Structures are given as C-alpha cells and as structure tokens.
Amino acid sequence: MSCIEEKVILITGASSGFGMVTAKKCVEHGAKVILGARREDRLKELCESLGSKNAAFMTTDVTKKEDLNNLVNHGINIFGRIDSLVNNAGIMPLSFIEQGRTDEWDQMIDVNIKGVLYAIDAVYSHMMERGSGQIINISSVAGKRLIPGSAVYSGTKFAVGAISEGLRIESAGKLQVTCIFPGAFETELGSSIKDEKMLEYLMSEAKYANLAQPAERIADAIIYALEQKPGVAANEIVLRPTAQDF
Ligand code: NDP
C-alpha cells in the first residue's frame, strides 16, 4: 500500500500550476483531496474530473483566516480528518524597488507569508492532537538567493523557509515538515508580473529564457515528501532545471 493511499490531503492554490497537478497525482495514488483557491470554476471542473468520492473544494482566499478555517472544517466534515497540508498558494509580481509598487508588496506578504501561516494555524491543533500530520510548504529558489526585482518576493520566500524550520522544531516527534524550493517551472505564476521594466528586464536577459520545466516535476517532489513513512520527513527539497544557474 502506498503511503499516500487513503490520506486526506488539503492543497491550497489548487486551481492551476503545481497545486492542480499535485491534486491529480494524489488522487491517482489513492488519496482524497480537499482543494482551495479563489477561482471557483477551475476548482469545480477539477473536482468533477477527479470524482466526488475523491475530491472536494471550497472557494478560499488564503489572505482570510476564516476562509482557511472553513476549508479545513469542510475537509474534516467530508473526509473525517486532514492528514497532510500542501501549503502552495502564492503570487510573484516581481518588480524593482524604485517602481514603488507597494500594493503588490502588500499582496505578496499577505498571500505568500500570512496565507501560509493561516493555513498552518488552521490545521495545527487538529494534527498535534492526533499526534501526526504532514505540512509541505512551497518556498522557491528565490527563498535562497536573489535576482534584481525579487527583493520582496524573495523576502516572502525566505520567510517560508524560516517558518518551515520553526514549525519542524516546535512540532518535533509529531509532524513531518517539508519545505520545497522550486526553480523555474511551467505554471501561470509569471502572469502576476505587471511591472513593465521588470518584464523588459526578464526578456532582455538570455539566462531567463526557455528555462522552465514541466510542473509535473514539482508535483513529483511533493508526492515524494507525502510518501515518507511516519518517523521521517524530507525536510528540504531544492529542485531546479539543470539549465538554471541562479
Ligand atoms: P500558479 O499561478 O499556476 O498557481 C498559483 C496558485 O495560487 C493558483 O491556484 C491561485 O489560485 C493560488 N492563489 C493565488 N492567490 C491566492 C489567494 N489569495 N488565495 C488562494 N489562492 C491563491 O503558480 P505556481 O503553481 O507556480 O505557484 C504555486 C507555488 O509555487 C507558489 O507559492 C509559487 O510562489 C511557488 N513557486 C513557483 C515556481 C515556478 O516556477 N512556477 C518557482 C518557485 C516557487 P486563484 O488565483 O484561483 O486563487
């Protein structure tokens, strides 16, 4: 029996990219999934394709604590428990500091840091009381080093790394905590970049072109973390395209 089979796995940011592919792979491995994101049409379509016995969703804005509490309760009501959280929702409106796009900075802090914390809070006591659980946070290689324009995004992703390590220490012996640091992969993430200067910069730098690898590779890394048997966790996974030198 796969270590994923029969698990109840909550995935944020499941309406596209890593979250969507991971949801499909989890169900292929015999798990139940409870999915959250803001785009209801996407979640509905995905759940229909996965089957109502295997998948449920609730429209969720991770910047709202209440939404995450409702999502967790919805999962517990339908499937009886939450075994694993894939804390994946995120945005990446890269920009240069001189552009002063402070609303985007606020949004990144709200989604990428506060959203991750609210999701952890929503499942933490449920998992600790049961004495087990898995929390997989999605950081980025931008959470290990910077490029021009990534100051705030990197700040949020360094925070995800720190939060993961703190969570690991404080939940020792009970929770399996993983932080994944992806390089460039094919998803919708780049569409949140609106700063024209940033877009021009990324287009003009040859090293940023044609790097991205399929999102399935990160979903496979998430599955690897989910497959770890009780008593052990893959604490950190860095996965980059081989052509990515940053
Ligand atoms: P996508 O843009 O394809 O997916 C992002 C997901 O996050 C969507 O499902 C989106 O759903 C959700 N989301 C965004 N804002 C909110 C919100 N306020 N509330 C709830 N859900 C939200 O990108 P990826 O799959 O690439 O991104 C997943 C994670 O991977 C992010 O944390 C990202 O930073 C990280 N990452 C991605 C890399 C890549 O190369 N693709 C590299 C490194 C890290 P909706 O809009 O429907 O709410």
Side-chain angles (χ1 to χ4, degrees):
M1 181 167 138
S2 151
C3 233
I4 299 184
E5 202 174 332
E6 298 300 328
K7 268 189 180 150
V8 180
I9 302 171
L10 187 151
I11 304 173
T12 66
S15 59
S16 64
F18 300 156
M20 187 181 71
V21 184
T22 301
K24 290 179 184 170
K25 281 188 188 274
C26 287
V27 170
E28 280 164 23
H29 280 75
K32 313 286 181 205
V33 291
I34 171 87
L35 309 176
R38 292 164 305 171
R39 284 171 292 178
E40 187 175 4
D41 52 336
R42 297 273 197 110
L43 293 177
K44 192 164 180 276
E45 197 182 324
L46 178 58
C47 280
E48 279 170 6
S49 74
L50 297 174
S52 59
K53 278 190 187 150
N54 304 317
F57 74 93
M58 184 174 261
T59 311
T60 308
D61 182 341
V62 297
T63 68
K64 296 181 180 148
K65 257 186 244 185
E66 201 187 359
D67 279 17
L68 282 158
N69 290 334
N70 290 340
L71 179 66
V72 168
N73 289 334
H74 189 49
I76 294 171
N77 285 339
I78 293 179
F79 296 123
R81 62 188 191 280
I82 306 289
D83 296 303
S84 314
L85 162 66
V86 181
N87 217 346
N88 164 75
I91 55 170
M92 187 190 67
L94 299 176
S95 66
F96 296 113
I97 289 172
E98 65 175 21
Q99 299 296 314
R101 298 176 73 92
T102 53
D103 288 348
E104 290 179 350
W105 299 353
D106 286 342
Q107 284 162 14
M108 273 189 280
I109 290 165
D110 287 349
V111 177
N112 298 358
I113 303 180
K114 291 186 187 171
V116 163
L117 287 169
Y118 294 159
I120 292 169
D121 182 58
V123 295
Y124 193 76
S125 54
H126 172 71
M127 289 182 175
M128 292 298 276
E129 279 160 18
R130 295 175 62 232
S132 67
Q134 295 180 305
I135 298 185
I136 297 166
N137 295 326
I138 309 300
S139 176
S140 167
V141 292
K144 292 202 167 280
R145 53 167 299 177
L146 283 91
I147 62 166
S150 81
V152 180
Y153 180 67
S154 284
T156 66
K157 292 301 188 178
F158 273 85
V160 173
I163 290 162
S164 302
E165 182 61 2
L167 178 65
R168 182 187 73 76
I169 293 166
E170 291 189 31
S171 65
K174 290 192 171 173
L175 303 192
Q176 295 164 288
V177 179
T178 300
C179 189
I180 300 186
F181 300 81
F185 290 86
E186 291 160 356
T187 68
E188 298 175 17
L189 194 68
S191 66
S192 58
I193 306 174
K194 305 291 182 215
D195 176 9
E196 293 294 336
K197 275 200 166 177
M198 187 73 220
L199 288 165
E200 271 169 37
Y201 171 75
L202 291 173
M203 306 265 246
S204 67
E205 292 281 320
K207 68 178 173 181
Y208 298 129
N210 303 321
L211 272 182
Q213 291 291 308
E216 281 74 11
R217 300 294 91 78
I218 292 298
D220 288 340
I222 294 171
I223 294 293
Y224 173 78
L226 289 166
E227 277 174 337
Q228 295 309 303
K229 297 196 167 57
V232 171
N235 295 134
E236 295 194 0
I237 301 174
V238 183
L239 208 73
R240 281 185 182 87
T242 51
Q244 182 174 347
D245 68 358
F246 55 91

